Amino acid sequence: DGGITQSPKYLFRKEGQNVTLSCEQNLNHDAMYWYRQDPGQGLRLIYYSQIVNDFQKGDIAEGYSVSREKKESFPLTVTSAQKNPTAFYLCASTTGTGSNQPQHFGDGTRLSIL
Amino acid sequence: SQQGEEDPQALSIQEGENATMNCSYKTSINNLQWYRQNSGRGLVHLILIRSNEREKHSGRLRVTLDTSKKSSSLLITASRAADTASYFCATDNAGNNRKLIWGLGTSLAVNP
């Protein structure tokens, strides 16, 4: 089955630690996105990538970094500079590069502070 | 930045009743999408409606779009307990059509 796989499902971060969230898709989609969702809130865009080796900052990129070395993979690193990382992180992908196509989502990673 | 605003924030109905959720937005759009999110899960795409369309159906779902009022509604008919979820609208961004702008969602509870 084609889809998006996010791992791990739950992640705990210690003070001063960087952690990396994995996102893999086998849908052959060009564009991939990382969102942050806080309780009772909508989705806020962290980073997005339209093509391999290229990515753009979203609305809340500070304290996060990404890479796009392969079409299938778009990992997100939450750095120690992100002072409030506790949230639900969602990865999505879409065919094409515009916003006129549905986005397909993984099942998220819930990040908490130890 | 948030563009879409869903209304109501929360809705509780009995199984079999219809549920209506509304979404308002601020800028001109090319399309508007509705998504469902079950608790602790990712979002699932429901319907995309383009700016030149007024109404779209998918099974028990009916979406309308009024571009003059910058608003959309999602109607779920004959609701089921399995429809319990949060529902989000998302619009494209006239200034950057590579991103979606998301509303804060409507939390729907369908009681058996």
Side-chain angles (χ1 to χ4, degrees):
Chain A
D1 281 342
I4 298 182
T5 302
Q6 289 187 242
S7 63
K9 192 169 178 62
Y10 300 96
L11 187 57
F12 298 92
R13 196 191 87 169
K14 294 181 182 177
E15 198 74 35
Q17 186 182 40
N18 292 352
V19 292
T20 297
L21 285 60
S22 170
C23 177
E24 303 276 333
Q25 55 100 358
N26 60 3
L27 299 166
N28 199 33
H29 284 171
D30 296 303
M32 297 186 74
Y33 305 81
W34 273 108
Y35 293 99
R36 170 179 171 140
Q37 186 178 34
D38 292 282
Q41 299 291 313
L43 276 62
R44 291 187 290 168
L45 182 63
I46 305 172
Y47 268 99
Y48 63 103
S49 169
Q50 304 289 306
I51 196 170
V52 173
N53 292 323
D54 186 48
F55 47 82
Q56 308 295 328
K57 291 183 179 180
D59 300 314
I60 55 164
E62 186 174 346
Y64 300 97
S65 66
V66 293
S67 63
R68 186 87 186 274
E69 296 176 2
K70 298 186 299 182
K71 188 175 186 178
E72 306 80 34
S73 178
F74 191 40
L76 173 74
T77 296
V78 184
T79 74
S80 57
Q82 173 49 247
K83 298 306 179 188
N84 183 24
T86 298
F88 190 48
Y89 290 87
L90 287 160
C91 179
S93 71
T94 188
T95 186
T97 56
S99 56
N100 59 351
Q101 297 293 331
Q103 291 193 2
H104 299 253
F105 284 81
D107 265 343
T109 293
R110 191 167 297 281
L111 176 61
S112 303
I113 296 294
L114 276 179
Chain B
S1 59
Q2 300 289 346
Q3 161 149 268
E5 293 184 8
E6 285 91 341
D7 165 45
Q9 289 187 332
L11 183 60
S12 181
I13 61 174
Q14 296 299 122
E15 218 167 15
E17 292 180 341
N18 295 344
T20 300
M21 288 158 270
N22 303 297
C23 170
S24 59
Y25 56 91
K26 298 183 176 68
T27 65
S28 295
I29 62 171
N30 295 311
N31 63 75
L32 184 145
Q33 303 183 42
W34 283 94
Y35 289 78
R36 184 188 76 234
Q37 183 181 33
N38 291 87
S39 182
R41 303 293 299 273
L43 279 72
V44 174
H45 180 261
L46 297 175
I47 288 183
L48 182 151
I49 186 165
R50 304 194 190 281
S51 60
N52 61 353
E53 299 175 309
R54 291 296 167 258
E55 189 170 310
K56 211 162 181 181
H57 297 255
S58 176
R60 293 182 297 111
L61 306 181
R62 172 178 168 246
V63 167
T64 61
L65 179 64
D66 186 336
T67 53
S68 67
K69 295 181 179 178
K70 291 188 169 57
S71 69
S72 173
S73 68
L74 169 66
L75 168 67
I76 304 174
T77 59
S79 63
R80 305 166 182 168
D83 294 327
T84 294
S86 292
Y87 292 81
F88 293 90
C89 69
T91 59
D92 63 337
N93 179 340
N96 180 340
N97 66 1
R98 294 173 294 176
K99 300 192 298 183
L100 290 178
I101 302 177
W102 296 85
L104 299 180
T106 291
S107 177
L108 173 66
V110 181
N111 306 303

